Amino acid sequence: MPKIWISAGEYSGDMQAASLLTSLQRFIPELQAVGMGGSNLENAGQRNLFTIEQLSVMGIAEVATALPRIGLLLHRIRQNLQKERPDAVILTDCPDFHFRVASMASSMNIPVYYFIPPKVWAWRTGRIRFLQRHIRKIFCILPFEKDFYEAHGISVEYVGNPLVGMVNYPSLKHILPQKNRIGLMPGSRKKEIERHMPLFSAMADQLQILGITPTFSCFRAPNIPESSLLSLWTSSTPLQVEDPVNRYQAMRRCELIVAASGTAVLETALAGVPTLVTYKVSPLSGFIGRLLIKSPYVSLPNLILRKAFFEEFLLDRANPKTLAMATAAYLQDSSAVHRHMEKDFETLRRFCGDPDPDRSGKIVAAALKTLPGFQYA
């Protein structure tokens, strides 16, 4: 029976890789999947040998301090790749970690595919040479990425963006926002949450000083317990933690969302909810990031639209007072601002492709079936 190794290093990749695996199984029913992931991949049928919690780090400086642990994890992954001998490896996002997994698999002559490749068109373009050497084919989820990778001689296919179908905007657009309801999305990694929840809590206190007392809804990833979020919320303003199962409906009920930069921001954009984007890292990570990142934006909606669609509050601007002032300004005239943004929301959804849930599975299955391990009766 054909076997693939799927690796996701964080919640967003786990969610999208699970969507791909579910679709793949419709085209290759005998398919076995092993590797690294979270609850989404496990529920889709993968046998997780490693979990995303084992890689829960953020920022360049934070990764440096976790190197011994990550080194041991990579050593164990190498051992299990040799033991399992999958017919192919599919990596999902998380390039700083997955480039090492790709190098391992490539040295064992295991074909390596990349689903949701790194944004080398935005920053650290030198990584394109690694992709040229070690990746058999890229499956991209943004239409314009196909031309970029083809121009660099890399085999690539556009498979659509699984988030379009997951969010399913047509089923949500009837849900109207509740006045002064603000959504909070602190991230899915432990360190992200430890940095962003106190920031959001202090922002709530600043809003109280301004005479504004919104209703706060916090969106948690399935791997994060509610108690972890509440323990970091010190504001006297109440906080409601949303059930991950109905996250998109809950997003639509928010007048505004304040979110840590990442896949979650693309989710809010596809759901048509105005968002303030923030991200906090250590001072050292921030300094190094300024040297490496050449793009004027970091959030996916801004990168896709190539404009400052969602305002970004990064590094020194990721502070309670600045976020509170921007939130208050939005709430004063939210209806007019939302109407102004509607055309760009529509453009973004169009750029991200159609919501066909089987497009990715069909394309990836066709590529896999060219491999010897998939030549079965």
Short mmCIF file of all heavy atoms in Angstrom, two decimals, residues 5 46 55 61 103 130-131 140 155 192 194 206 244 312 330 353:
data_model
loop_
_atom_site.label_atom_id
_atom_site.label_comp_id
_atom_site.label_asym_id
_atom_site.label_seq_id
_atom_site.Cartn_x
_atom_site.Cartn_y
_atom_site.Cartn_z
N TRP A 5 4.42 10.60 3.97
CA TRP A 5 4.75 11.26 5.23
C TRP A 5 4.31 12.72 5.09
O TRP A 5 4.83 13.44 4.24
CB TRP A 5 6.25 11.18 5.48
CG TRP A 5 6.74 11.84 6.74
CD1 TRP A 5 6.76 13.18 7.01
CD2 TRP A 5 7.31 11.19 7.89
NE1 TRP A 5 7.30 13.41 8.24
CE2 TRP A 5 7.66 12.21 8.81
CE3 TRP A 5 7.58 9.87 8.20
CZ2 TRP A 5 8.26 11.94 10.03
CZ3 TRP A 5 8.17 9.60 9.44
CH2 TRP A 5 8.50 10.61 10.34
N GLN A 46 -4.25 10.36 9.69
CA GLN A 46 -2.79 10.21 9.76
C GLN A 46 -2.37 9.62 11.10
O GLN A 46 -2.93 9.95 12.14
CB GLN A 46 -2.11 11.57 9.56
CG GLN A 46 -0.60 11.52 9.84
CD GLN A 46 0.20 12.56 9.11
OE1 GLN A 46 0.25 12.56 7.89
NE2 GLN A 46 0.83 13.47 9.83
N LEU A 55 7.07 21.44 18.44
CA LEU A 55 7.77 22.48 17.68
C LEU A 55 7.20 23.86 17.98
O LEU A 55 7.30 24.76 17.18
CB LEU A 55 7.69 22.18 16.18
CG LEU A 55 8.60 23.00 15.26
CD1 LEU A 55 10.06 22.66 15.49
CD2 LEU A 55 8.22 22.78 13.81
N ALA A 61 15.16 34.48 17.83
CA ALA A 61 15.87 34.28 19.09
C ALA A 61 15.29 33.10 19.85
O ALA A 61 16.02 32.31 20.46
CB ALA A 61 15.78 35.55 19.94
N SER A 103 15.83 18.14 3.47
CA SER A 103 17.21 17.73 3.23
C SER A 103 17.43 16.26 3.63
O SER A 103 18.08 15.50 2.90
CB SER A 103 18.16 18.64 4.00
OG SER A 103 19.50 18.30 3.75
N PHE A 130 17.48 26.39 -2.42
CA PHE A 130 17.23 25.14 -1.70
C PHE A 130 16.05 24.41 -2.32
O PHE A 130 16.09 23.18 -2.50
CB PHE A 130 16.95 25.44 -0.22
CG PHE A 130 16.69 24.21 0.59
CD1 PHE A 130 17.72 23.56 1.25
CD2 PHE A 130 15.40 23.67 0.70
CE1 PHE A 130 17.48 22.41 2.00
CE2 PHE A 130 15.15 22.53 1.44
CZ PHE A 130 16.21 21.90 2.09
N LEU A 131 14.99 25.14 -2.63
CA LEU A 131 13.80 24.53 -3.23
C LEU A 131 14.15 23.90 -4.58
O LEU A 131 13.66 22.81 -4.92
CB LEU A 131 12.69 25.57 -3.39
CG LEU A 131 12.16 26.18 -2.08
CD1 LEU A 131 11.24 27.36 -2.38
CD2 LEU A 131 11.43 25.13 -1.25
N CYS A 140 1.13 25.22 -4.79
CA CYS A 140 0.91 26.53 -4.19
C CYS A 140 -0.58 26.82 -4.06
O CYS A 140 -1.40 26.29 -4.81
CB CYS A 140 1.62 27.63 -4.99
SG CYS A 140 1.05 27.84 -6.69
N SER A 155 9.19 23.07 -10.71
CA SER A 155 7.91 22.47 -11.08
C SER A 155 6.86 22.86 -10.05
O SER A 155 7.06 22.67 -8.84
CB SER A 155 8.05 20.95 -11.14
OG SER A 155 6.81 20.35 -11.45
N GLU A 192 3.50 32.57 21.47
CA GLU A 192 2.68 33.62 20.87
C GLU A 192 1.61 34.09 21.86
O GLU A 192 1.40 35.28 22.05
CB GLU A 192 2.00 33.10 19.60
CG GLU A 192 2.88 32.97 18.40
CD GLU A 192 2.13 32.42 17.20
OE1 GLU A 192 1.23 31.58 17.37
OE2 GLU A 192 2.46 32.83 16.08
N GLU A 194 1.55 33.74 25.09
CA GLU A 194 2.13 34.39 26.27
C GLU A 194 2.53 35.83 25.99
O GLU A 194 2.58 36.66 26.90
CB GLU A 194 3.36 33.60 26.74
CG GLU A 194 2.99 32.27 27.39
CD GLU A 194 4.21 31.43 27.72
OE1 GLU A 194 5.34 31.81 27.29
OE2 GLU A 194 4.06 30.40 28.40
N GLN A 206 -6.80 50.06 28.30
CA GLN A 206 -6.67 51.36 27.64
C GLN A 206 -8.00 51.82 27.04
O GLN A 206 -8.34 53.00 27.07
CB GLN A 206 -5.60 51.29 26.54
CG GLN A 206 -4.18 51.20 27.05
CD GLN A 206 -3.71 52.50 27.69
OE1 GLN A 206 -4.05 53.59 27.25
NE2 GLN A 206 -2.94 52.37 28.76
N PRO A 244 -13.78 26.50 19.11
CA PRO A 244 -13.11 26.43 17.81
C PRO A 244 -13.99 25.86 16.70
O PRO A 244 -13.78 26.15 15.52
CB PRO A 244 -11.91 25.51 18.08
CG PRO A 244 -11.69 25.56 19.54
CD PRO A 244 -13.04 25.76 20.16
N GLU A 312 -1.13 47.20 10.13
CA GLU A 312 -0.23 46.31 10.87
C GLU A 312 0.44 47.05 12.03
O GLU A 312 0.93 48.17 11.86
CB GLU A 312 0.84 45.75 9.93
CG GLU A 312 0.26 44.88 8.82
CD GLU A 312 1.30 44.30 7.88
OE1 GLU A 312 2.47 44.72 7.96
OE2 GLU A 312 0.95 43.43 7.06
N TYR A 330 -11.73 52.94 14.79
CA TYR A 330 -12.55 52.10 13.92
C TYR A 330 -13.99 52.03 14.42
O TYR A 330 -14.94 52.17 13.63
CB TYR A 330 -11.97 50.69 13.81
CG TYR A 330 -12.86 49.79 12.98
CD1 TYR A 330 -12.78 49.80 11.60
CD2 TYR A 330 -13.83 48.99 13.58
CE1 TYR A 330 -13.63 49.03 10.83
CE2 TYR A 330 -14.68 48.20 12.82
CZ TYR A 330 -14.58 48.23 11.45
OH TYR A 330 -15.44 47.49 10.69
N GLY A 353 -8.86 31.98 -5.23
CA GLY A 353 -9.35 30.88 -6.04
C GLY A 353 -10.71 30.36 -5.64
O GLY A 353 -11.33 30.84 -4.70
#
